[in-house]
Amino acid sequence: MKVRRPFKVIGLGKFLPENMVTNEELEKKLQLSKGWIYKYTGVKTRYHVQNESVSTMGAEALQNALNDAKITFNDLDMLIGGGATFDYILPNRSSSIANLFSESKNCNFPCIDINSTCLSFISALDFASYKLQDPDINTIAIVTSEVASKGLNSNNAETFCLFGDAATAIIISKDIDSNSGLIRQTINTYTECNQDTIIKGGGAKYFPRDYPYNEELYSFQMNGRRLLRFTKSVLPEFLANFFNPINSTLEDIDLIIPHQASKFGLQLFAEHTNAYEKENTVYNQLEKYGNCIAASIPLAFIENIQNKTVKTGDTCLLCGTAAGVSIGGLLLKY
């Protein structure tokens, strides 16, 4: 498989809130029977913010990635905030993260945000690989920081127990002689399910001044069963179309890292990929962290690199679904 846009991963960072929330705590709080949460969500623990924010978690993850790369904030040429949640409507997420670094006062590189909900990291990495073709850009940090816990409805036990908060940072650099980088990326959006994953309140249509707070309006809502049925109907064609142009198949992939959407969402991806007689090809860490929105994919990618289950030369398929509804995939060689 030919690398279309080469880059090298030079730094990895992650950050989790201090507050780990167990199923036992939530089952007591929501008056659920013992074992209910794991049975229906597949999650055992998740992390929820207390004093942390999208910006502070993102800055911590970025500093860890800079330390790993042995570079400083001043060495970056661009900062991309790839995620769905934010501290402020304005200013944008990435500039708020940069503002927490004292060195930012001497830097004027672009800080931009990319939001394709749960696929935001995939979109950001694709965009970053394009920007590295610019002769003036050599090093880019992608920060994906998500606070899901603030937008959950306690009356909907399944979603309330499913989500967690986390931040990741991955730094990539130009390396034209490298055999690592992006092989293929695509996202397909199917708008017939556009309203099946939604937070209605907070934007211009349901503006807070006109629609006072109530938990249902300002919390995440999902028609999970309809989404699963729809995804099941289009996923086989998506995967076939993804691999056909590069004359490759799932058999050639060393590791598949899907978005940790839900227990049943992961089972669906496994059904369509585990028929290729490779053990442990589809990575699942849902029980440790829950669904961390766009941070789920890079968190899993980072952990596999740090655990050396992803090695130099391995091919990884980052894939998943997102609100909208979209299905996306990015194939890379590490």
Side-chain angles (χ1 to χ4, degrees):
M1 288 177 281
K2 183 179 179 181
V3 171
R4 292 175 58 192
R5 296 195 292 275
F7 62 79
K8 181 169 62 176
V9 176
I10 63 169
L12 304 169
K14 61 184 179 182
F15 180 83
L16 297 167
E18 291 186 11
N19 179 36
M20 185 180 77
V21 183
T22 66
N23 285 357
E24 290 74 19
E25 293 175 66
L26 290 178
E27 285 167 351
K28 183 178 180 180
K29 178 179 179 178
L30 301 178
Q31 298 182 320
L32 300 170
S33 60
K34 185 177 181 180
W36 187 95
I37 294 175
Y38 185 69
K39 178 180 179 181
Y40 287 100
T41 69
V43 181
K44 290 183 178 179
T45 56
R46 77 289 291 148
Y47 294 81
H48 286 172
V49 296
Q50 291 181 316
N51 300 316
E52 304 94 343
S53 68
V54 170
S55 300
T56 59
M57 290 202 306
E60 291 281 0
L62 178 54
Q63 185 59 64
N64 290 335
L66 291 168
N67 294 343
D68 184 49
K70 297 180 173 55
I71 62 174
T72 69
F73 187 86
N74 293 306
D75 294 313
L76 298 177
D77 298 305
M78 176 177 285
L79 172 58
I80 302 174
T85 61
F86 45 84
D87 292 331
Y88 315 106
I89 294 175
L90 293 173
N92 68 324
R93 179 195 310 111
S94 53
S95 67
S96 297
I97 292 170
N99 186 51
L100 296 176
F101 288 80
S102 59
E103 304 97 312
S104 68
K105 295 172 178 59
N106 299 316
C107 300
N108 59 0
F109 58 72
C111 296
I112 66 169
D113 288 356
I114 291 177
N115 179 2
S116 53
T117 65
C118 296
L119 294 174
S120 296
F121 173 75
I122 287 179
S123 299
L125 183 56
D126 179 47
F127 179 77
S129 71
Y130 272 115
K131 292 303 293 182
L132 285 178
Q133 312 306 306
D134 187 325
D136 296 325
I137 295 180
N138 295 296
T139 308
I140 300 175
I142 302 168
V143 178
T144 303
S145 182
E146 300 282 34
V147 175
S149 59
K150 298 284 189 180
L152 302 176
N153 187 345
S154 59
N155 294 314
N156 187 327
E158 195 164 344
T159 56
F160 192 79
C161 301
L162 174 63
F163 286 88
D165 306 331
T168 64
I170 293 182
I171 300 173
I172 64 173
S173 72
K174 182 176 296 179
D175 190 356
I176 58 174
D177 298 322
S178 173
N179 195 33
S180 64
L182 185 144
I183 298 169
R184 177 163 166 76
Q185 188 273 348
T186 189
I187 291 178
N188 291 356
T189 300
Y190 308 87
T191 58
E192 51 263 55
C193 293
N194 179 260
Q195 300 291 297
D196 286 326
T197 43
I198 192 169
I199 298 176
K200 289 184 176 179
K205 185 167 184 177
Y206 295 98
F207 195 69
R209 182 177 58 206
D210 304 319
Y211 295 87
Y213 179 82
N214 72 72
E215 194 170 28
E216 182 174 355
L217 180 64
Y218 288 90
S219 296
F220 177 75
Q221 300 176 42
M222 176 174 66
N223 188 340
R225 290 185 179 181
R226 182 167 186 239
L227 290 168
L228 277 171
R229 286 196 303 269
F230 180 79
T231 302
K232 188 174 183 178
S233 71
V234 298
L235 183 58
E237 182 181 13
F238 173 84
L239 289 171
N241 291 338
F242 184 87
F243 284 101
N244 281 342
I246 54 174
N247 297 316
S248 184
T249 71
L250 282 163
E251 293 178 328
D252 302 315
I253 307 305
D254 294 301
L255 185 66
I256 299 168
I257 299 178
H259 170 44
Q260 310 290 292
S262 68
K263 174 183 177 179
F264 301 109
L266 284 167
Q267 287 176 354
L268 178 62
F269 267 92
E271 286 174 12
H272 287 85
T273 56
N274 271 354
Y276 297 90
E277 299 181 357
K278 283 188 179 181
E279 292 184 5
N280 303 318
T281 304
V282 179
Y283 189 70
N284 182 344
Q285 63 176 22
L286 183 70
E287 68 176 35
K288 292 169 59 178
Y289 303 116
N291 180 336
C292 299
I293 319 179
S296 288
I297 290 175
L299 184 61
F301 185 49
I302 288 170
E303 293 213 343
N304 276 278
I305 295 172
Q306 292 177 336
N307 295 336
K308 301 189 185 308
T309 47
V310 168
K311 303 176 289 297
T312 301
D314 283 353
T315 53
C316 300
L317 175 64
L318 314 180
C319 57
T321 58
V325 160
S326 297
I327 300 177
L330 186 148
L331 183 62
L332 63 86
K333 180 173 283 191
Y334 177 67

